[in-house]
Amino acid sequence: MVHHWSKDAWASVPSTEPIMVALYLAPGFELLALSSVLDVFRLANQAARREAFRWRTVSHLGEAVRASCGIVVAADADLAQERRYVMQPERPVLALVCGDEPDEGRETKVLSAWLRECRQRRIGTGGFGSGVAALAKAGLLNDRRCAVHWEAMPAFKERFMRTDAAATVYEVDNDIWSCAGGTASFDMMIELVKQYCGEPIAVSVGELAVAGRVRMGDERQRLPLLRQHGRLNPTVVKLIELMERNLDASLTMADLAAAAGLSRRQVERLFRADLGRSPCRYFRELRLEHAKLLLAQSALPVLEIAIACGFISASHFSKCFRETHQIAPREARTLPAERL
């Protein structure tokens, strides 16, 4: 996780003054992410016994916005008013984007303009889940590291090639906050509280929220099959990470054994004990899952997807894909994303 703190971003906020946070809501935003953020702020105020944080919700025209779960949330201001705040004492210290506007619409252009104005005025910016794409569209993530939800990662990397996207819980790079959404929003805002209010207040927020554990930003979002199989052996985790970094390569059992510093037989035993399958079979499952996401999210030809997922030919890829998913790759592409 990268931390490059700009002193200018916080210098204008005395320690006794509350931080103002503006939260932009786009249609279909994730309610869990928003509620996690607001509850961290509320609990931080309670733990600090003062108003450490203030916040306001913003939408394009000031209208109420419907979340992905169907609940409608009122907005306190429209984006035109929020853009005027950038030049006034009411300006936020941090601007967060919850959800992403549709491409090529006026909403996207205005949102991008606001985010760039915030950067020019040394206002911190951030995004949750699909809101990270809004930061990328505005050009804020060029040559920056950001956290992207694992499921959206293939399409995000294809579209925003200048970003250093990671499947970590959250990232903070040059006052740009990004996270995968969901409960990762809670973890990231705990870090914000820690930076502004100190570690004791951040710990108190976790206790008040009955959080069993607050994750660090550079932790992995996901370990496949972890729920089914419990705690994995650290060597297995290490080798899974190696596989995920080399989905387009041909990792052999010799490569895995060398990386683990074990014999091939020992690596085989660890995988069968923890995951009930051989390393080679598990590696193929990871490749096919990555291929499925690329088919659903991108327009790449099947041959390019096969190569990107480490298969020697389109025919070999199609055979493996059909065996696993009972459907050919070209047929899978015609299905709605949620069915695939």
Side-chain angles (χ1 to χ4, degrees):
M1 181 179 59
V2 182
H3 284 285
H4 297 303
W5 295 99
S6 167
K7 294 181 180 179
D8 296 326
W10 304 97
S12 61
V13 184
S15 59
T16 56
E17 289 295 317
I19 284 185
M20 171 56 76
V21 181
L23 298 113
Y24 182 85
L25 308 180
F29 72 91
E30 188 182 10
L31 188 62
L32 176 58
L34 177 65
S35 62
S36 296
V37 172
L38 297 183
D39 262 350
V40 168
F41 292 162
R42 177 184 65 84
L43 293 173
N45 290 348
Q46 179 180 334
R49 297 183 180 179
R50 65 181 178 89
E51 191 179 35
F53 292 91
R54 291 178 184 168
W55 57 88
R56 57 176 172 257
T57 53
V58 182
S59 65
H60 181 60
L61 297 176
E63 75 281 16
V65 185
R66 188 177 299 277
S68 58
C69 65
I71 291 179
V72 176
V73 176
D76 300 316
D78 59 38
L79 197 49
Q81 177 63 58
E82 192 60 41
R83 293 180 70 180
R84 289 193 289 270
Y85 282 147
V86 170
M87 305 291 293
Q88 298 173 2
E90 298 89 348
R91 70 186 230 159
V93 171
L94 183 63
L96 298 176
V97 182
C98 304
D100 186 27
E101 293 286 0
D103 290 341
E104 307 305 329
R106 171 172 170 75
E107 296 87 348
T108 294
K109 295 177 181 178
V110 177
L111 176 58
S112 294
W114 174 57
L115 291 171
R116 287 192 287 266
E117 289 166 1
C118 287
R119 294 301 294 168
Q120 292 167 2
R121 295 290 171 178
R122 300 186 183 278
I123 295 171
T125 52
F128 306 98
S130 62
V132 178
L135 301 177
K137 289 178 190 176
L140 272 57
L141 295 180
N142 291 345
D143 305 315
R144 300 289 181 198
R145 188 169 173 84
C146 63
V148 178
H149 193 285
W150 64 266
E151 193 175 26
M153 183 69 73
F156 189 94
K157 282 188 170 183
E158 180 192 349
R159 183 176 182 187
F160 304 111
M161 296 183 180
R162 289 188 59 185
T163 65
D164 181 11
T168 48
V169 175
Y170 66 86
E171 296 287 341
V172 187
D173 188 350
N174 195 36
D175 291 334
I176 300 177
W177 300 70
S178 59
C179 80
T183 57
S185 309
F186 178 88
D187 300 302
M188 188 168 80
M189 289 299 98
I190 290 288
E191 176 66 20
L192 177 70
V193 172
K194 178 181 175 181
Q195 293 293 331
Y196 184 67
C197 302
E199 188 166 3
I201 298 300
V203 171
S204 294
V205 171
E207 292 174 344
L208 289 168
V210 200
R213 174 174 169 270
V214 177
R215 293 170 293 181
M216 299 298 292
D218 57 359
E219 292 188 45
R220 292 161 48 82
Q221 293 173 23
R222 176 182 183 235
L223 263 180
L225 303 175
L226 185 59
R227 284 187 306 170
Q228 295 94 320
H229 296 276
R231 186 173 181 83
L232 298 180
N233 185 289
T235 299
V236 174
V237 174
K238 176 183 176 181
L239 293 178
I240 289 175
E241 291 173 343
L242 178 64
M243 291 174 180
E244 290 182 334
R245 291 195 302 270
N246 294 276
L247 292 174
D248 60 344
S250 297
L251 288 178
T252 64
M253 278 300 303
D255 295 327
L256 297 175
L262 300 171
S263 70
R264 295 176 56 171
R265 188 179 297 274
Q266 287 173 313
V267 172
E268 284 269 3
R269 278 203 300 263
L270 286 175
F271 267 77
R272 290 196 180 279
D274 278 16
L275 300 176
R277 54 188 39 77
S278 70
C280 292
R281 179 182 167 190
Y282 188 79
F283 190 29
R284 190 177 78 165
E285 289 174 359
L286 286 180
R287 288 168 158 181
L288 290 171
E289 180 186 66
H290 188 64
K292 182 174 67 173
L293 293 174
L294 284 173
L295 286 167
Q297 299 173 8
S298 76
L300 288 173
V302 171
L303 176 59
E304 290 187 26
I305 291 176
I307 294 171
C309 296
F311 290 91
I312 58 175
S313 67
S315 59
H316 180 224
F317 166 61
S318 296
K319 177 177 179 293
C320 295
F321 192 90
R322 185 186 291 274
E323 287 176 354
T324 301
H325 298 295
Q326 289 77 52
I327 189 173
R330 295 186 188 281
E331 296 170 348
R333 176 157 268 168
T334 65
L335 295 176
E338 60 273 13
R339 285 190 61 191
L340 177 60

